[in-house]
């Protein structure tokens, strides 16, 4: 990685036209060396990204009591909704950010929802701004498509058929999408640390970020700033992909420090294995539930005996 994260044009993987093997080789090198790279040529409409950013800023500017109408406690076992600054833990330490958790939009009749399965259910959308629902769901669809395309390159880099992941691991992927707001350091009276050093639990993360930066990756030569590239998504590999690759690919530690003097928005999208995928010592569902419970321990305790299916608030769930 040196002093910069490599930028890879994944258009051949997305469109099926061009040097697919060459892109796979680039992904393979980045995945072996650092586990981080940025992607362009993904085909996501910049207007959709800009609209998502604008609407999320509108939401975060609302009074806290209005944002709390979609608080995570109202999401039940689906683990969806808003949390305030300090409401999420990384390695047991409260993060200096607020955020909203989203996922695949599932009806109560879906078998996993009906069974009360964690991380499955309906999203909680705020009353304001009213257009957030459609934009979030469109974004999730687009990023799912891009993530599956990137995984074809990962598969080829590992010497497997291009369809290996979608057929064996991500046929019905667990999709998790977050929007985080990091307040300016001055507003918190601290030195700007937003999230401490950590690795991601799952398979593949696609990160959109605004122009303010703050993401740092621990490379072989020390900590490297991941400067925002206009129109690009930062891609990093999670612990599960390191495991499934037999340790060939790296799940790299990273952290966030917002010293820009302005608020920072980031949009991490996680494409993970199907819920019932055998990951060697159980299913992926068992694995991810054990991990997520450490992030929101109070919520995990409160929902452990919750009624089957996600609770829906009387207001805001739209």
């Amino acid at each position: 990685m040196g002093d910069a994260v490599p930028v890879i044009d994944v258009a051949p993987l997305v469109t099926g036209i061009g040097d697919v093997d060459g892109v796979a080789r680039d992904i393979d090198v980045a995945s072996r060396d650092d586990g981080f790279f940025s992607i362009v040529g993904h085909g996501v409409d910049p207007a959709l990204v800009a609209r998502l950013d604008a609407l999320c800023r509108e939401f975060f500017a609302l009074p806290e009591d209005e944002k709390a109408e979609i608080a995570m406690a109202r999401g039940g076992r689906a683990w969806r909704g808003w949390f305030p600054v300090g409401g999420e833990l990384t390695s047991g330490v409260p993060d200096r950010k607020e955020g909203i958790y989203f996922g695949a939009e599932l009806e109560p009749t879906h078998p996993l929802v009906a069974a009360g399965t964690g991380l499955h259910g309906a999203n909680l959308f705020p009353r304001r701004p009213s257009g957030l629902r459609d934009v979030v769901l469109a974004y999730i669809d687009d990023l799912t498509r891009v993530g599956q395309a990137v995984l074809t390159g990962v598969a080829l880099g590992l010497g497997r058929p291009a369809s290996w992941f979608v057929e064996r691991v991500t046929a019905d992927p667990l999709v998790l999408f977050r929007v985080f707001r990091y307040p300016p350091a001055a507003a918190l009276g601290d030195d700007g640390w937003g999230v401490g050093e950590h690795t991601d639990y799952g398979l593949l993360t696609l990160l959109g970020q605004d122009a303010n930066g703050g993401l740092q990756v621990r490379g072989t030569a020390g900590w490297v700033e991941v400067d925002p590239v206009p129109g690009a998504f930062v891609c990093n590999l999670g612990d599960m992909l390191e495991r499934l690759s037999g340790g060939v690919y790296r799940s790299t530690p990273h952290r966030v420090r917002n010293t820009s003097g302005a608020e920072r928005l980031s949009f991490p999208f996680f494409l993970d294995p199907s819920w019932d995928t055998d990951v060697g010592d159980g299913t992926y569902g068992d694995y991810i539930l054990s991990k997520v419970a450490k992030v929101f321990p109070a919520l995990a305790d409160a929902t452990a005996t919750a009624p089957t299916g996600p609770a829906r608030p009387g207001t805001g769930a739209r």
Side-chain angles (χ1 to χ4, degrees):
M1 175 159 47
D3 59 358
V5 170
V7 179
I8 300 174
D9 187 340
V10 297
L13 298 179
V14 172
T15 65
I17 301 171
D19 186 6
V20 169
D21 290 337
V23 178
R25 284 193 296 272
D26 291 342
I27 290 176
D28 180 59
V29 171
S31 299
R32 290 172 186 267
D33 288 351
D34 299 296
F36 261 84
F37 49 94
S38 290
I39 61 169
V40 295
H42 44 71
V44 178
D45 186 352
L48 176 65
V49 176
R51 181 67 173 151
L52 176 66
D53 181 278
L55 291 173
C56 288
R57 290 181 192 277
E58 285 187 43
F59 172 78
F60 286 125
L62 294 173
E64 289 218 344
D65 59 349
E66 185 170 345
K67 289 185 284 189
E69 291 178 3
I70 59 163
M72 290 191 72
R74 295 175 177 262
R77 295 184 180 185
W79 293 68
R80 311 288 171 83
W82 171 79
F83 66 88
V85 173
E88 183 173 15
L89 307 181
T90 298
S91 301
V93 178
D95 296 338
R96 307 296 277 169
K97 69 176 190 291
E98 64 176 312
I100 324 173
Y101 272 41
F102 298 108
E105 180 75 359
L106 301 176
E107 297 294 330
T109 54
H110 187 283
L112 290 174
V113 180
T117 307
L119 303 181
H120 291 76
N123 290 292
L124 303 183
F125 292 105
R127 291 184 291 111
R128 298 189 296 165
S130 60
L132 188 59
R133 181 185 191 279
D134 290 346
V135 171
V136 164
L137 296 182
Y139 189 85
I140 288 174
D141 286 346
D142 272 9
L143 270 289
T144 300
R145 170 185 56 81
V146 173
Q148 294 281 33
V150 172
L151 285 176
T152 65
V154 173
L156 291 171
L158 290 169
R160 296 169 181 168
S163 60
W164 189 85
F165 278 99
V166 73
E167 291 179 353
R168 306 180 116 197
V169 182
T170 58
D172 183 19
L174 178 65
V175 170
L176 307 171
F177 174 49
R178 317 298 189 222
V179 181
F180 295 141
R181 173 187 172 268
Y182 297 84
L188 299 174
D190 61 22
D191 59 2
W193 287 111
V195 178
E197 180 179 348
H198 67 285
T199 57
D200 291 347
Y201 302 137
L203 197 65
L204 186 72
T205 305
L206 298 174
L207 173 72
Q209 55 179 340
D210 67 14
N212 291 321
L215 175 63
Q216 300 176 341
V217 178
R218 194 175 71 186
T220 53
W223 288 100
V224 174
E225 295 280 348
V226 184
D227 294 327
V229 175
F233 294 108
V234 179
C235 182
N236 70 275
L237 315 182
D239 299 342
M240 188 51 57
L241 186 49
E242 181 173 294
R243 178 191 294 193
L244 292 178
S245 71
V248 173
Y249 286 173
R250 294 186 59 205
S251 175
T252 308
H254 49 286
R255 63 191 186 187
V256 174
R257 186 183 186 191
N258 181 23
T259 58
S260 66
E263 67 176 8
R264 174 185 186 265
L265 260 61
S266 71
F267 305 85
F269 172 88
F270 305 91
L271 183 65
D272 287 353
S274 304
W275 191 256
D276 59 355
T277 300
D278 184 352
V279 295
D281 55 358
T283 67
Y284 184 72
D286 294 334
Y287 165 86
I288 193 63
L289 280 179
S290 69
K291 297 292 187 181
V292 173
K294 296 177 182 179
V295 178
F296 293 101
L299 184 60
D301 292 343
T303 59
T305 57
T308 298
R312 300 297 299 274
T315 61
R318 55 178 65 85

